[in-house]
Amino acid sequence: MKHRDIIDKMTLEEKAAFLSGKNVWQTRDYSRLGLPSIFCSDGPHGIRKQAGAGDHLGLNASLPATCFPTAATVANSWDERLGEELGEALGEEAATQEVNVLLGPGLNMKRSPLCGRNFEYFSEDPYLAGKMAAAYVKGIQSQGVYACPKHFAVNSQELRRMAMNSVLDERTLREIYLTGFEIAVKEGKAKSIMTSYNEINGTYANENKHLLQEILRKEWGFDGIVITDWGASNDHAAGVAAGSNLEMPAPGLDSAREILQAIKEKTLTEEELDACVDGLLDAVLTLSENAKGKKRTFPETAHHDLARRAAEESAVLLKNTDEILPLKAGCKVAVIGDFAVEPRYQGAGSSMVNPTYLETIEKVIGNYDLQVAGINRGYKRTGEADEAMKKEALDLAAAADIVLYCFGLDELSESEGMDRSHMRIPQNQIELLQSIVQVNENVVGLLSAGASIEMPWHYCCKAILHGYLTGQAGASAMLNILTGKVNPSGRLSETYPLRYEDTSAFRHFPSTQRNSEYRESIYIGYRYYDTSKVRVQYPFGYGLSYTTFMYSELKVDADGATFTLTNTGKMDGAEVVQLYVGLPNAIVFRPEKELKGFRKVFLKSGESKEVRIDFDDKTFRYWNVKTNGWEVEEGIYQIMVGASVADIRLEGKLQVSGTTDRYPYNPAKLPYYYTGIVQQISDEEFEELLGHPIPSGKWSGDLGINDAICQMYYAKSGLARVIYKVLTTMKKKSEEKGKPDLNILFIYNMPFRGIAKMTGGMVSMEMVEGMVTVVNGHFLKGMKKIIGGFFRNQKANKAYEAKLAEK
Ligand code: BGC
């Protein structure tokens, strides 16, 4: 224990209250002990420090900060150095705004393209996600600010995110959903981590001892603080017992009383409480010391330029027929699309940044050697057809050499708090595109979207440049690529399937009952398409360049692979070289190939370089559920180097010895896992993989405090069903307006207990129980609890506050 001296001076009440926030963003301060508050802020791609009223949904204004491209975008750069530079800039801005903990990066796995927060996450591959996250963490923490990788763990759906249970086998947990966090913690040395809202195999992440103690602290050696997601604490005492240091945001003193009660009842020991207090004290003291003497301004122009460079390095050129790109100097361009005027450059929710400056194509295109024939919005962002607008756009398109069509996903399509219901972009945008190509076949599509989409229309574009969500300097970044000033070097960090129906979790995402069954196991993203030979639109790792690269002379030794890369084209540029590993005829089922290393290599035209990619502890390992450890299967491994998972250029072999002869599976009982065809895994086969029966997630009987408010359609009380209907109507209306109402979405998906956890002490858990009693049809009994509970809560809060003030 580092801070025994301070802990000895603290009363039990002070210690219990210390472990939850004093308001939306800050920890409690104790002046008599010389303990200041620390300030937490989102977020992953720009600081969202709220100087005024705080909320965790991105609703109220925040101080201006640089809006960098989102994680989904930057992952396409495959450039760890860039990730670290972005982290440094984020950390610097955080420090100037007196933010001590930056709530990011987000690195949940893209299990399905439909997760509404995919734009905030790096990849469908844990290795790439982990490496990029570790880079951000290093950069952020170099500025004396703690990074807080999130949301730990298995949080891949937004629907009822606070009231759902992820059911999966240990191997899938380890190999897919934890490996990224492991890298962020071990290599990035993250000093804090945020637990997710959901349960994992029946235990809330924040109370999960397997996750927080056995894996995070013991196996990975994490020595930082565990912070709950905002409202993710269920049973605070159980959280503390599992080693969770800080419940956020401000649950009031009811949570502190839960701790006192647990100590009294001996379900929590004072040693366990002290251990959590000690960890948080260390963070508070270190961070407040780090914050001393920091500047109050940051270099806005330099950070804007960095945001541009990040967008340039991350944009992916998907198609370039007839070498229509780069655009010829002086050519006549018609700019069509609402996004040219009002760009879609970041996502919605807690990560929403108030940019210091926002570029648009309309504003910056005049700086390029192009003849602009006109700029026209073309379609309505909200999806309605508009014939007059369409006609104007077509006339403009007909009069130009090239049409630059700016389109993609609108704000409503992807947001925190909701999942997408399909992978299409709005139909009115596609109808316009299909009409444009009738009058001018030289269409260059400029896409903005934070996640994978279906592209059945892709024949309409001669070229497609996908900028993802580019951040505030995206317009000039895209024009720099379109005009050839910058050679595109982004490669997809996620697969673009042909149709949503082709995705591996398609029958189980999002779960409609409490349990989300991860039946597809380790086969997410390319691990599925590549193994079971499903055709895709664009594979993982794919992207074009204005130059060409040749791979040659692969040499494989026990420690890594070496090969030569040559820029054989006419332009300087960077290539992302990818190392995949496979084991044909493996005894333990596994994907055909898995990413185990990568490098981004810049070469001048005609230049050659020898490239080395070292193996590491993850290259050959798999999680063995029988030995309960990482093992290596003996065999002759294929070592593959290529430009994407589907474009392997060099292949070598390596004999590797095994670490155990205790194999975990009986292939006869897991036939589909052995083929990788996992869309329709039977109950029996899934149970064999889990090693136990599938838990029942079906709702039955009365609603409980952990059921979501949107489940009130089951309520016995007519009043509760009316409230459900009103909320549903409000949600629909906001969707029709084209902007998701995050407040309504949050309430809709929140469990009843959230009413106590999110109201700063106004509502106690006893009152919430009363509310649920009302919902279940016992009006009088419930009201008695609510009213009685209200007065009891007020009295208990006052008594507690008096105790805290006593000293
Ligand atoms: C989000 C977190 C975020 C927190 C604070 C939550 O709703 O899930 O990612 O950091 O709010 O804004």
Side-chain angles (χ1 to χ4, degrees):
M1 205 147 290
K2 268 193 180 166
H3 303 285
R4 188 78 265 171
D5 52 330
I6 306 180
I7 294 177
D8 284 344
K9 287 190 206 133
M10 293 174 91
T11 63
L12 194 58
E13 285 79 9
E14 281 172 333
K15 290 193 281 189
F18 188 50
L19 301 187
S20 47
K22 85 166 173 190
N23 56 34
V24 181
W25 303 117
Q26 284 177 292
T27 58
R28 273 181 202 279
D29 51 318
Y30 295 125
S31 53
R32 82 169 184 93
L33 298 162
L35 289 179
S37 291
I38 51 170
F39 203 105
C40 309
S41 268
D42 290 300
H45 59 265
I47 310 303
R48 186 174 69 94
K49 167 139 187 202
Q50 291 181 313
D55 69 86
H56 69 294
L57 300 171
L59 304 173
N60 295 319
S62 54
L63 300 174
T66 313
C67 180
F68 295 101
T70 73
T73 316
V74 178
N76 295 328
S77 76
W78 299 62
D79 187 340
E80 293 168 75
R81 180 58 212 138
L82 175 67
E84 202 169 329
E85 277 181 71
L86 289 169
E88 283 159 13
L90 286 165
E92 183 182 356
E93 292 195 24
T96 62
Q97 298 195 1
E98 297 177 275
V99 168
N100 309 101
V101 180
L102 193 150
L103 304 173
L107 66 150
N108 291 101
M109 282 296 106
K110 300 184 189 193
R111 178 187 178 212
S112 164
L114 296 190
C115 171
R117 277 184 106 168
N118 277 1
F119 71 89
E120 274 188 76
Y121 301 146
F122 290 107
S123 180
E124 64 188 25
D125 180 85
Y127 192 83
L128 176 58
K131 290 285 179 183
M132 292 306 296
Y136 271 72
V137 170
K138 283 185 211 159
I140 293 167
Q141 296 192 161
S142 72
Q143 305 299 306
V145 170
Y146 282 4
C148 188
K150 63 190 187 184
H151 310 87
F152 190 54
V154 211
N155 176 195
S156 297
Q157 93 177 43
E158 288 296 285
L159 181 74
R160 289 194 286 101
R161 60 180 169 157
M162 299 173 87
M164 50 116 5
N165 176 28
S166 300
V167 177
L168 75 173
D169 64 291
E170 184 73 16
R171 178 177 176 205
T172 304
L173 175 70
R174 299 284 191 148
E175 290 185 18
I176 304 296
Y177 295 95
L178 296 188
T179 294
F181 285 102
E182 180 185 351
I183 299 172
V185 167
K186 284 198 197 159
E187 295 176 24
K189 306 250 175 302
K191 292 294 288 179
S192 70
I193 198 162
M194 185 188 288
T195 49
S196 57
Y197 287 123
N198 51 290
E199 292 169 293
I200 300 155
N201 292 325
T203 308
Y204 281 100
N206 191 58
E207 294 161 22
N208 204 307
K209 289 191 171 164
H210 180 47
L211 194 68
L212 299 187
Q213 285 186 350
E214 291 166 11
I215 300 177
L216 178 66
R217 293 203 192 264
K218 289 205 189 101
E219 281 182 30
W220 300 351
F222 177 76
D223 65 352
I225 51 169
V226 174
I227 306 177
T228 70
D229 197 347
W230 269 228
S233 168
N234 163 54
D235 175 336
H236 188 35
V240 172
S244 170
N245 305 79
L246 179 62
E247 167 173 352
M248 289 302 281
L253 292 162
D254 202 28
S255 275
R257 289 196 295 270
E258 276 177 26
I259 293 188
L260 298 184
Q261 187 64 20
I263 296 231
K264 207 160 143 199
E265 287 167 2
K266 299 201 177 1
T267 49
L268 179 74
T269 64
E270 204 161 339
E271 289 69 48
E272 286 169 327
L273 172 63
D274 287 356
C276 279
V277 171
D278 191 50
L280 187 56
L281 277 173
D282 197 55
V284 168
L285 296 171
T286 309
L287 289 167
S288 44
E289 197 52 41
N290 289 353
K292 286 188 183 151
K294 290 277 180 197
K295 290 180 298 185
R296 291 284 159 260
T297 54
F298 62 87
E300 284 188 22
T301 312
H303 286 192
H304 185 78
D305 293 346
L306 174 61
R308 178 185 305 113
R309 180 151 62 78
E312 287 168 354
E313 280 208 39
S314 307
V316 186
L317 181 63
L318 295 174
K319 187 174 175 182
N320 193 13
T321 317
D322 302 338
E323 296 194 0
I324 189 171
L325 293 179
L327 296 174
K328 312 274 170 302
C331 71
K332 195 171 173 191
V333 181
V335 180
I336 299 178
D338 199 46
F339 288 10
V341 184
E342 265 181 63
R344 182 79 220 298
Y345 65 103
Q346 65 169 330
S350 60
S351 68
M352 179 95 96
V353 179
N354 175 11
T356 54
Y357 178 75
L358 180 60
E359 292 183 4
T360 69
I361 296 277
E362 185 188 30
K363 278 196 242 168
V364 301
I365 197 163
N367 304 338
Y368 293 82
D369 186 4
L370 298 169
Q371 206 189 318
V372 181
I375 298 177
N376 187 289
R377 287 187 186 245
Y379 55 81
K380 279 201 168 146
R381 206 183 193 89
T382 39
E384 306 95 306
D386 187 319
E387 286 310 313
M389 263 180 130
K390 187 168 168 185
K391 163 127 197 359
E392 268 178 39
L394 292 180
D395 290 347
L396 178 61
D401 302 332
I402 301 277
V403 177
L404 180 59
Y405 188 52
C406 305
F407 68 134
L409 288 179
D410 59 313
E411 283 75 8
L412 184 62
S413 299
E414 41 183 0
S415 165
E416 176 176 344
M418 59 181 231
D419 299 306
R420 286 190 291 164
S421 53
H422 58 75
M423 284 178 68
R424 298 184 294 278
I425 58 178
Q427 187 55 24
N428 65 335
Q429 297 185 29
I430 301 311
E431 275 163 16
L432 178 60
L433 173 62
Q434 283 165 336
S435 306
I436 289 175
V437 75
Q438 308 295 323
V439 300
N440 187 337
E441 56 175 19
N442 293 323
V443 181
V444 172
L446 183 56
L447 258 181
S448 306
S452 172
I453 51 176
E454 286 170 2
M455 299 184 169
W457 41 260
H458 101 337
Y459 67 90
C460 297
C461 299
K462 274 202 174 161
I464 304 173
L465 178 64
H466 195 349
Y468 268 71
L469 299 179
T470 56
Q472 65 180 46
S476 55
M478 295 307 110
L479 283 163
N480 285 348
I481 295 178
L482 293 170
T483 55
K485 192 171 165 203
V486 169
N487 191 350
S489 62
R491 305 290 185 258
L492 292 175
S493 54
E494 62 186 327
T495 312
Y496 278 60
L498 281 169
R499 320 170 299 159
Y500 174 57
E501 290 73 7
D502 293 339
T503 59
S504 60
F506 136 83
R507 284 193 172 72
H508 297 279
F509 186 95
S511 65
T512 48
Q513 295 287 341
R514 187 161 187 99
N515 287 345
S516 178
E517 295 170 0
Y518 284 55
R519 292 197 187 212
E520 72 286 352
S521 174
I522 55 176
Y523 298 104
I524 69 164
Y526 72 86
R527 284 172 167 74
Y528 170 66
Y529 310 112
D530 190 51
T531 309
S532 44
K533 310 283 177 275
V534 177
R535 267 196 322 130
V536 299
Q537 183 75 55
Y538 293 115
F540 176 79
Y542 169 86
L544 301 174
S545 164
Y546 294 150
T547 189
T548 46
F549 295 94
M550 193 182 79
Y551 294 62
S552 61
E553 293 168 65
L554 175 68
K555 288 180 224 87
V556 177
D557 58 55
D559 302 318
T562 311
F563 56 95
T564 304
L565 184 73
T566 309
N567 181 343
T568 47
K570 291 196 197 83
M571 207 168 163
D572 301 348
E575 171 76 322
V576 174
V577 294
Q578 302 156 41
L579 174 92
Y580 295 90
V581 170
L583 178 60
N585 305 317
I587 296 175
V588 179
F589 71 79
R590 57 195 295 149
E592 179 110 347
K593 313 184 183 75
E594 290 181 282
L595 182 78
K596 297 292 178 178
F598 60 89
R599 288 268 307 275
K600 189 158 193 173
V601 185
F602 178 83
L603 292 176
K604 292 210 165 301
S605 165
E607 194 189 355
S608 280
K609 239 185 217 167
E610 193 179 80
V611 182
R612 168 84 182 171
I613 300 181
D614 286 330
F615 299 147
D616 61 23
D617 60 329
K618 294 169 193 75
T619 311
F620 301 107
R621 75 179 193 180
Y622 73 93
W623 183 262
N624 184 317
V625 289
K626 199 161 249 169
T627 62
N628 202 25
W630 293 107
E631 305 287 359
V632 174
E633 181 175 333
E634 166 148 13
I636 300 173
Y637 284 79
Q638 276 177 306
I639 310 297
M640 296 161 271
V641 174
S644 85
V645 73
D647 184 9
I648 298 301
R649 306 282 182 89
L650 301 169
E651 235 179 285
K653 290 196 178 355
L654 184 73
Q655 168 79 46
V656 178
S657 38
T659 51
T660 181
D661 50 13
R662 292 180 62 205
Y663 292 108
Y665 306 126
N666 174 354
K669 291 196 168 166
L670 297 168
Y672 286 98
Y673 288 119
Y674 270 84
T675 59
I677 300 171
V678 291
Q679 272 194 330
Q680 295 201 54
I681 294 290
S682 66
D683 288 358
E684 295 70 43
E685 195 167 340
F686 187 43
E687 291 190 340
E688 177 70 20
L689 183 77
L690 284 176
H692 56 75
I694 301 169
S696 162
K698 289 244 159 21
W699 173 88
S700 65
D702 285 347
L703 289 167
I705 59 166
N706 279 330
D707 287 314
I709 289 178
C710 64
Q711 281 168 285
M712 282 201 299
Y713 52 75
Y714 285 127
K716 294 205 176 96
S717 148
L719 176 67
R721 289 200 303 275
V722 169
I723 297 176
Y724 164 76
K725 278 196 188 135
V726 172
L727 272 175
T728 308
T729 315
M730 283 164 76
K731 181 170 151 287
K732 272 203 187 128
K733 283 219 169 112
S734 78
E735 283 166 7
E736 278 158 20
K737 276 197 214 133
K739 292 234 167 175
D741 186 325
L742 295 170
N743 232 339
I744 296 175
L745 279 172
F746 190 80
I747 295 171
Y748 204 72
N749 288 312
M750 182 176 84
F752 291 98
R753 73 159 201 280
I755 303 173
K757 294 290 188 189
M758 309 290 289
T759 44
M762 281 290 292
V763 177
S764 68
M765 214 49 110
E766 183 191 7
M767 291 164 70
V768 171
E769 274 158 17
M771 292 174 201
V772 175
T773 310
V774 171
V775 167
N776 286 327
H778 310 288
F779 186 77
L780 290 178
K781 199 170 151 203
M783 283 312 289
K784 217 170 134 193
K785 259 192 167 171
I786 299 175
I787 296 165
F790 176 78
F791 290 108
R792 277 188 286 279
N793 184 43
Q794 293 285 319
K795 203 170 149 203
N797 282 349
K798 275 203 190 117
Y800 205 125
E801 270 153 20
K803 283 237 160 166
L804 291 180
E806 227 166 58
K807 278 277 174 174

